[in-house]
Amino acid sequence: MIKRQNLLLKQKGRVNKIRKVILVTGTPGVGKTAVAHKLASKLDAIYVGITELVKTEKLITNVDEERKTLIADTEKVSKKLQETIAQSKGNIIIEGHYATDVTPNKEVTTVFVLRRDPHKLKSVLEKRGYNEKKIWENLAAEILDVCLCDALSACGADKVCEINVSGKTVEAVVEEIIQVLEKKQECRSGTVDWLGKLENEGRLEEFLKKFSSAEQP
Ligand SMILES: Nc1ncnc2c1ncn2[C@@H]1O[C@H](COP(=O)(O)OP(=O)(O)OP(=O)(O)O)[C@@H](O)[C@H]1O
Ligand SMILES: [Mg+2]
């Protein structure tokens, strides 16, 4: 029993030397919540899910009827995150597709941008019952690197690590993130190229047509 406790403490202490504010971002459906929850428990960190935070704290300006989502009051979200960071001494994992827009960037240690193959992402979004417009808007965002670009412009390339989660289990993704935090694996971005992949598969035109028809009112 003592041995097991020691092992757990050792695991949790692996990347705990300096307090970290870690962002987990990416297009809806890539697996941010699943990964961030597990990562927080492994690092003994506080987990903050922005979608949950917006709902529980009612940090809302309006409701987007077409997309059936709440429109967050980003100023209030940002203020709340700043308070949370200021009040806690341990590691914090902040998760959400616009995490880099609302977290004070000077506080951020590392941003993990999760990337998922567009074909796999499409199935996740279809299973959720999203309408065509919402599916193709999100797929366009994934293919055009929207979350990656947001992360790079908010926090700079040194802090941004892209993780391709396609075909990996949640556990494997979390382990990869820990390897990066422990500097056993390089933190890199610009490694994922879905446009190139679709072009090689001869499916780029099909996707681009879907994007433009989803944009029609
Ligand atoms: N690495 C993985 N392998 C297989 N399935 C996964 C993986 N990560 C997440 N999933 C599954 O994919 C779905 C989407 O994951 P999740 O809800 O965590 O995405 P999200 O990025 O948080 O989405 P949102 O931005 O809409 O909250 C869930 O059904 C989840 O169980
Ligand atoms: Mg989520």
Side-chain angles (χ1 to χ4, degrees):
M1 188 62 190
I2 289 170
K3 253 190 189 169
R4 193 176 133 74
Q5 274 173 347
N6 283 344
L7 187 70
L8 281 173
L9 283 173
K10 216 172 154 188
Q11 268 198 346
K12 285 180 174 175
R14 278 199 295 176
V15 287
N16 250 357
K17 288 172 191 100
I18 309 163
R19 182 280 251 291
K20 291 178 169 65
V21 176
I22 298 163
L23 306 191
V24 177
T25 184
T27 310
V30 291
K32 299 178 297 294
T33 305
V35 166
H37 265 298
K38 197 158 221 58
L39 183 66
S41 101
K42 282 236 169 172
L43 300 183
D44 204 12
I46 295 168
Y47 163 84
V48 182
I50 295 178
T51 310
E52 256 177 82
L53 182 77
V54 166
K55 277 189 201 153
T56 54
E57 301 283 327
K58 300 197 172 48
L59 310 173
I60 296 154
T61 55
N62 218 330
V63 178
D64 183 335
E65 296 291 351
E66 194 187 344
R67 293 179 182 81
K68 301 205 170 12
T69 46
L70 302 172
I71 301 172
D73 184 329
T74 50
E75 264 179 42
K76 284 188 184 160
V77 177
S78 195
K79 207 167 154 233
K80 186 78 200 166
L81 289 174
Q82 197 144 20
E83 283 167 18
T84 310
I85 294 169
Q87 283 161 7
S88 63
K89 291 193 174 71
N91 293 328
I92 305 184
I93 318 277
I94 299 172
E95 173 260 310
H97 69 272
Y98 57 96
T100 56
D101 295 338
V102 286
T103 312
N105 44 34
K106 65 173 179 16
E107 305 282 359
V108 175
T109 319
T110 314
V111 185
F112 290 94
V113 185
L114 307 189
R115 307 301 306 271
R116 191 177 254 201
D117 185 286
H119 302 300
K120 307 240 172 63
L121 185 59
K122 187 167 172 279
S123 330
V124 172
L125 301 177
E126 281 169 349
K127 267 188 213 143
R128 284 184 176 183
Y130 283 6
N131 64 36
E132 282 277 298
K133 187 177 169 80
K134 199 164 168 180
I135 291 174
W136 287 99
E137 270 179 359
N138 283 316
L139 287 174
E142 178 60 16
I143 288 161
L144 298 175
D145 306 328
V146 170
C147 288
L148 174 67
C149 293
D150 288 348
L152 290 170
S153 65
C155 302
D158 291 351
K159 290 184 185 176
V160 178
C161 323
E162 220 176 359
I163 307 279
N164 185 353
V165 305
S166 319
K168 295 173 190 162
T169 62
V170 173
E171 289 74 14
V173 173
V174 168
E175 201 43 48
E176 196 172 329
I177 290 176
I178 291 175
Q179 294 282 312
V180 173
L181 292 172
E182 290 183 333
K183 307 211 183 313
K184 291 177 183 157
Q185 186 176 316
E186 213 183 327
C187 164
R188 296 208 303 167
S189 58
T191 50
V192 167
D193 177 15
W194 300 139
L195 274 178
K197 183 174 183 280
L198 286 172
E199 196 169 21
N200 287 339
E201 292 168 353
R203 297 193 63 182
L204 184 57
E205 209 173 317
E206 173 201 332
F207 269 68
L208 294 178
K209 272 189 193 150
K210 286 284 192 182
F211 296 157
S212 54
S213 58
E215 263 180 27
Q216 307 305 316

